[in-house]
Amino acid sequence: NAGVTQTPKFRILKIGQSMTLQCTQDMNHNYMYWYRQDPGMGLKLIYYSVGAGITDKGEVPNGYNVSRSTTEDFPLRLELAAPSQTSVYFCASSTGPHTEAFFGQGTRLTVV
Amino acid sequence: RKEVEQDPGPFNVPEGATVAFNCTYSNSASQSFFWYRQDCRKEPKLLMSVYSSGNEDGRFTAQLNRASQYISLLIRDSKLSDSATYLCVLGSSNTGKLIFGQGTTLQVKP
């Protein structure tokens, strides 16, 4: 069972570059989430989606964009990468905020 | 005020000890509550959901106090394998958000 798959697992970006973090799930979940986790900290919600075509901002959306054209995919776009975006990024999916969320293995991003 | 607050610890306890974590929340509209476990450099995984009546799963007991807006996790007879970070999570059916606390680190020593 694939569950939630994130790619890439690791990436080094230069300041000002752009990239897309990919997230796909095969559980037919309507809800999907993007979080970032800085060292020693909890997860902060960047963006989330309650279904295809619907996205909304979380706690720390600045510098990021998302789209949700299909139920399966929820890519996260970084434009003009900055050192402050160095973090571990987790994607998650669930049937709703009242049920278990399943996470991908994370993407470790370093901006230099 | 943060939506979810936890004491980051670390809590250092000997094997066999009982340890308790609390988590306070500010949004009274939060409707679902969870404890997740995160091992070092890994993704979080659900430990247990938290219900108003309280619930128990083996050595783990979770409780919710809506009046005081806090949830708790009690771990009895700690094992070395319980060493991890425990994350308090709130789900809002109104917005669809899942909000995580900072996490509490537990180290169980032999």
Side-chain angles (χ1 to χ4, degrees), chain B residues 69-85:
Chain B
Q69 295 187 201
Y70 77 86
I71 68 172
S72 63
L73 177 67
L74 181 77
I75 305 175
R76 290 180 299 277
D77 189 22
S78 299
K79 311 291 185 192
L80 295 176
S81 58
D82 293 334
S83 297
T85 296

Side-chain angles (χ1 to χ4, degrees), chain A residues 33 35 37 48 98 101 104 108, chain B residues 36 38 41 43 95-96 98:
Chain A
Y33 305 88
Y35 295 90
Q37 185 174 34
Y48 67 106
H98 53 288
R108 298 183 186 282
Chain B
Y36 278 70
Q38 185 176 28
R41 301 175 73 82
E43 71 274 21
T95 63
L98 268 181

Side-chain angles (χ1 to χ4, degrees), chain B residues 39-50:
Chain B
D39 293 304
C40 188
R41 301 175 73 82
K42 298 281 192 180
E43 71 274 21
K45 293 185 179 178
L46 179 68
L47 177 66
M48 57 198 306
S49 302
V50 188

Side-chain angles (χ1 to χ4, degrees), chain A residues 32-105:
Chain A
M32 295 188 76
Y33 305 88
W34 272 108
Y35 295 90
R36 61 176 285 171
Q37 185 174 34
D38 299 328
M41 302 297 289
L43 280 69
K44 293 184 180 177
L45 183 63
I46 305 172
Y47 271 95
Y48 67 106
S49 169
V50 302
I54 305 169
T55 62
D56 215 336
K57 295 178 180 179
E59 302 165 283
V60 289
N62 291 345
Y64 307 94
N65 278 301
V66 293
S67 59
R68 185 92 184 273
S69 55
T70 66
T71 298
E72 294 79 18
D73 300 306
F74 191 39
L76 178 71
R77 178 85 178 158
L78 277 73
E79 304 282 2
L80 297 176
S84 60
Q85 292 177 305
T86 294
S87 192
V88 179
Y89 291 83
F90 287 104
C91 178
S93 74
S94 74
T95 57
H98 53 288
T99 61
E100 180 177 4
F102 294 87
F103 283 79
Q105 292 185 311

Side-chain angles (χ1 to χ4, degrees), chain B residues 1-72:
Chain B
R1 183 181 172 186
K2 292 182 182 177
E3 280 199 68
V4 183
E5 295 205 57
Q6 292 182 253
D7 179 349
F11 285 62
N12 295 303
V13 302
E15 271 186 294
T18 295
V19 62
F21 308 135
N22 284 335
C23 166
T24 58
Y25 61 94
S26 59
N27 184 356
S28 60
S30 299
Q31 297 178 9
S32 302
F33 304 88
F34 310 91
W35 285 102
Y36 278 70
R37 171 187 168 133
Q38 185 176 28
D39 293 304
C40 188
R41 301 175 73 82
K42 298 281 192 180
E43 71 274 21
K45 293 185 179 178
L46 179 68
L47 177 66
M48 57 198 306
S49 302
V50 188
Y51 305 116
S52 295
S53 55
N55 48 307
E56 188 173 309
D57 183 3
R59 298 181 293 109
F60 298 84
T61 301
Q63 294 207 310
L64 165 64
N65 185 319
R66 287 191 184 270
S68 300
Q69 295 187 201
Y70 77 86
I71 68 172
S72 63

